[in-house]
Amino acid sequence: QVQLVESGGGLVQAGGSLRLSCTASGRTLSAYAMAWFRQAPGKDRELVARIRFAGRDTYYSDSVKGRFTISREAVRNTIYLQMNNLKPEDTAVYFCAAAIAGWSQGNFDHWGQGVQVTVSS
């Protein structure tokens, strides 16, 4: 099992930047595909970005492509989500997730507690 803890959320003005971190304990993250999801009030949880194979494979949703970057730092057993040029519609609770097999949305079965990101206009 792996435990995931997110940090780095907060309040930022539109056009600003934030970096989210997700640190794992219990298992090394290199064995997992990792992802960031988000959920805004009244909306379904949305896959934002995912990463596997030590960063050789990444995916971004169209809504964040070119603005967000997912990365991993093996020595710290941590993944990051660098978010630039933030928009009010990026406001959501952001969740870190891990998948031991596969990396389709349904494969992610380990979750962090979530961190709030609020972007003011």
Side-chain angles (χ1 to χ4, degrees):
Q1 290 292 329
V2 62
Q3 292 77 45
L4 305 173
V5 178
E6 302 100 332
S7 62
L11 173 64
V12 64
Q13 289 188 331
S17 298
L18 283 174
R19 188 178 76 159
L20 305 182
S21 300
C22 173
T23 299
S25 60
R27 291 281 298 270
T28 175
L29 287 182
S30 62
Y32 293 81
M34 302 295 300
W36 289 96
F37 289 75
R38 67 186 181 188
Q39 188 166 21
K43 295 189 176 181
D44 293 335
R45 189 171 295 186
E46 171 192 16
L47 174 64
V48 173
R50 58 189 176 189
I51 188 169
R52 64 177 179 177
F53 301 145
R56 293 194 298 274
D57 279 356
T58 57
Y59 162 87
Y60 298 93
S61 68
D62 287 342
S63 60
V64 306
K65 196 175 298 181
R67 300 187 298 121
F68 290 12
T69 302
I70 188 171
S71 62
R72 66 198 309 165
E73 186 175 7
V75 65
R76 296 182 183 272
N77 218 25
T78 296
I79 67 164
Y80 303 98
L81 186 68
Q82 178 66 44
M83 305 184 293
N84 298 328
N85 191 22
L86 282 159
K87 304 176 180 180
E89 51 264 42
D90 294 318
T91 295
V93 177
Y94 284 70
F95 297 89
C96 174
I100 188 64
W103 77 333
S104 297
Q105 289 195 45
N107 293 128
F108 290 93
D109 53 3
H110 295 78
W111 296 87
Q113 81 286 353
V115 61
Q116 178 70 46
V117 171
T118 303
V119 185
S120 62
S121 56

